[in-house]
Amino acid sequence: MGETMVAERLEPAPEKKRREPRRRALLIAAIASGAIAVVVAGWQIAAWTALGAVRIVYDARPVACEGAEVTLDPPGASDEFLSDGGFAGDETFYSPVVGVEPGMTCGVRFFVVNDGWSEVDARAVALPGMQEEFVSLIRPTMVNPNGQMRLADTDDAAVFAIEGMPVPAGDQQSFTVILEANAEDAAGYEQCSGFMPRPPRVTVSALGVERTVASPEDSGIWYSDGARSDCD
C-alpha cells in the first residue's frame, strides 16, 4: 500500500498533463501570429515605399488646342530676365491660359513618373472640377491612352478608368486628357471670366495597395470664356 501511494505522488496531476499541450499550442499560435504580422508589415512597407516614389510632372507645353488660343499668365517674361537661350531667368511660374471657343478640342498632357523600385499600375485619372454637376466651360471626353471608360463622378471630379496601364520602375507614362468646349454651361460665364480647376490626380497601385497621386499645386490651367486677345 505504501508503494502505491509513492507511485501516485510521482505521477503528474491530470490537470498539469492537460496544460502542457495547451501551452504549446498557444506558443505556436503566438509565433505564427507574430510571423504573419511581420510579413504583413513588410508587405505594407514595400508597397507604400513603391507608391511613395510615384509623382506627376508636366513639360513646357502641357496644353495643345485646335480651335482655341493658348497663352501664358503672366503674358510673357520681361526681356531683362531672358537668358542667352531665350528662356525666362526669373522664378515666375507661367500658367497656361486656354481661351475657350465653341467647337474647340484641347489635350492636356502630363506624365506619371515612377522613381521607385517596383512596377506600379495606373488605375484611374480624376479630373477635379469637371464633374457633370459642376458648371464648367469645358468637359473631358476621354483620357489617352487606355482611358475610354468613364466611371461614376466623385463629389469633386470626373473619373476615367485606365486599368492595365503599368509604369515600370525608373520609367514614365504620358497621359492626355481630351477636353471639349461645353456649350450648355457657357451661358453661365461672362466673356473673359473663367475658372482654374485643380490639376489631375492619378490612382496607382502596387502589391494590392492603392494611392492617389496629386499633381503639383502650381500646375493649374486657366480656362477663359473667349480669347485672351479680346479681353485686354
Side-chain angles (χ1 to χ4, degrees):
M1 181 175 180
E3 293 178 358
T4 302
M5 293 179 64
V6 171
E8 288 176 351
R9 285 199 298 270
L10 292 176
E11 289 182 1
E15 184 179 351
K16 186 175 181 181
K17 287 183 178 180
R18 288 194 298 269
R19 284 179 182 173
E20 290 180 356
R22 188 182 304 166
R23 288 175 180 172
R24 284 197 295 270
L26 291 174
L27 179 60
I28 293 172
I31 293 173
S33 298
I36 292 172
V38 170
V39 170
V40 170
W43 163 56
Q44 289 283 325
I45 291 171
W48 282 107
T49 301
L51 295 176
V54 179
R55 56 195 173 94
I56 296 176
V57 301
Y58 294 78
D59 59 16
R61 193 188 179 198
V63 187
C65 294
E66 293 182 2
E69 179 184 59
V70 181
T71 57
L72 295 176
D73 185 31
S78 171
D79 290 342
E80 64 182 283
F81 291 114
L82 290 180
S83 64
D84 294 338
F87 295 98
D90 60 4
E91 296 181 356
T92 303
F93 177 79
Y94 294 89
S95 177
V97 178
V98 177
V100 179
E101 299 283 359
M104 73 161 204
T105 300
C106 294
V108 178
R109 183 178 61 178
F110 60 91
F111 299 85
V112 174
V113 180
N114 182 6
D115 293 325
W117 61 271
S118 174
E119 178 179 280
V120 301
D121 285 324
R123 302 186 62 82
V125 172
L127 308 171
M130 298 186 191
Q131 66 273 29
E132 289 292 339
E133 66 179 19
F134 184 75
V135 177
S136 173
L137 286 168
I138 43 107
R139 285 285 181 237
T141 59
M142 66 183 67
V143 178
N144 290 326
N146 203 30
Q148 311 309 315
M149 185 176 71
R150 180 164 179 160
L151 303 176
D153 288 352
T154 63
D155 292 338
D156 67 341
V159 184
F160 288 82
I162 50 173
E163 293 187 27
M165 183 58 65
V167 185
D171 205 348
Q172 64 184 28
Q173 172 65 52
S174 66
F175 294 96
T176 301
V177 180
I178 306 300
L179 302 172
E180 294 181 352
N182 182 18
E184 294 181 4
D185 289 353
Y189 288 81
E190 296 181 359
Q191 186 175 12
C192 302
S193 66
F195 77 115
M196 179 184 285
R198 286 179 291 129
R201 54 182 185 257
V202 178
T203 300
V204 294
S205 67
L207 302 176
V209 178
E210 287 191 353
R211 175 196 172 211
T212 297
V213 181
S215 297
E217 288 297 326
D218 61 356
S219 56
I221 299 169
W222 178 263
Y223 297 94
S224 173
D225 186 9
R228 186 182 187 132
S229 56
D230 297 333
C231 303
D232 296 335

